[in-house]
Amino acid sequence: MHATDPNVDTRCYAVEPAGHAHDFHQVVLGGDGGTELELESHLHRVDAGAGLLIPAGTRHDYRGLDAANRQLVVDLPAASVALPASLFRRPRAFVIDAPLRRRVQPLLGLAGERVSRPRHWLLATRFADDLAHRLHAAPANDDARHFPVARIDAWLRRHAGDAPSLKDLAACFGYGPRRFHDLFVDAFGEAPHRYLTRLRLDAALALLDDRSRSLGDIALDTGFADQSTFTRRFTQRFGLPPGHWRRAACARPGH
């Protein structure tokens, strides 16, 4: 695993109180039993119906409410999966609804299992899509007086395979190119073209999991001009060409 890689694992929180902070974002998704976490003087309960996002650097004190609790934990360094930086500016509690529960439940047995690097990435990108939809739900994010991060992120996820110019993208949301660029960097943590490239590469991970799809088709489906460009961008980000990544993913236990 690399320092910028996401990590997906299960955790049993001890009933004795403890606490720490870390330099990566973390999402705790309720599994079995309950856990209490205190952040910024607010007490949060994580259980089968609730999850919690913990921004990097945020001190959190925690304790398990029963010895048999088991939660799914997703560690997200800032340079890992594509999510707007503004989502991580404060702790966020969210509801685990039935669709998210169906994604969480099968993974609760991960404890002690050897999970490949591609598998961690694939799971994390799937959770990123779920979290983007849920954490953007606050109405204030789409208030006309504020930069519409939720709508922009949702649009980019739907159109990740397209190649809009900065001018066209800005016009979709009623901004001039320079103003849009500056607001985007503040909200997303990077320039629009860099964020869109990360979204495309995240989407490619899911397509690589389907061995029936050729690398050329995946390149075109995710908005790259050709397989060569896709391979170069993929290797720059993940350290392996997509064909090698696919072989590593397919070699995981139980695939």
Side-chain angles (χ1 to χ4, degrees):
M1 298 290 286
H2 298 184
T4 57
D5 284 357
N7 185 73
V8 181
D9 203 355
T10 55
R11 189 161 306 164
C12 177
Y13 288 86
V15 294
E16 296 81 12
H20 60 208
H22 33 65
D23 60 0
F24 49 83
H25 307 307
Q26 189 173 77
V27 183
V28 184
L29 300 117
D32 301 324
T35 299
E36 282 187 346
L37 298 100
E38 184 175 353
L39 294 80
E40 299 178 346
S41 300
H42 288 86
L43 191 63
H44 302 271
R45 179 186 172 106
V46 171
D47 55 28
L52 181 65
L53 185 151
I54 305 170
T58 303
R59 166 80 186 192
H60 47 290
D61 296 290
Y62 49 85
R63 70 182 185 95
L65 297 179
D66 52 80
N69 78 88
R70 186 174 47 166
Q71 322 304 342
L72 187 69
V73 178
V74 184
D75 296 334
L76 296 173
S80 59
V81 298
L83 282 167
S86 60
L87 284 181
F88 300 97
R89 287 180 179 161
R90 60 177 176 82
R92 292 169 176 260
F94 57 92
V95 173
I96 297 179
D97 57 13
L100 184 54
R101 169 56 43 201
R102 287 193 292 270
R103 194 180 292 282
V104 170
Q105 199 64 40
L107 299 175
L108 290 175
L110 283 176
E113 179 183 336
R114 184 177 176 274
V115 179
S116 69
R117 183 178 176 229
R119 182 65 172 165
H120 279 289
W121 269 99
L122 182 60
L123 293 174
T125 56
R126 288 173 176 170
F127 277 116
D129 281 336
D130 287 329
L131 292 168
H133 294 309
R134 285 163 177 77
L135 300 181
H136 279 320
N141 283 343
D142 275 337
D143 191 296
R145 296 169 298 173
H146 299 84
F147 191 59
V149 176
R151 290 192 290 118
I152 293 169
D153 189 55
W155 191 94
L156 290 173
R157 289 176 188 277
R158 289 195 306 271
H159 298 274
D162 299 337
S165 67
L166 175 61
K167 181 179 179 180
D168 290 342
L169 183 58
C172 282
F173 298 95
Y175 290 88
R178 180 172 295 181
R179 178 64 172 160
F180 181 86
H181 179 275
D182 291 346
L183 291 171
F184 190 101
V185 170
D186 180 63
F188 285 79
E190 58 191 334
H193 74 280
R194 291 182 63 86
Y195 186 76
L196 184 56
T197 298
R198 284 212 295 155
L199 277 179
R200 289 170 173 167
L201 292 171
D202 285 356
L205 296 181
L207 299 180
L208 283 169
D209 207 46
D210 180 356
R211 298 182 67 182
S212 69
R213 303 182 72 108
S214 72
L215 296 183
D217 287 344
I218 291 173
L220 296 178
D221 289 345
T222 51
F224 292 95
D226 49 45
Q227 184 176 332
S228 177
T229 303
F230 168 58
T231 297
R232 184 172 65 256
R233 294 294 189 188
F234 190 99
T235 306
Q236 286 173 347
R237 184 172 178 201
F238 299 113
L240 288 174
H244 292 188
W245 185 275
R246 169 177 270 174
R247 287 193 288 277
C250 291
R252 68 179 183 257
H255 184 81

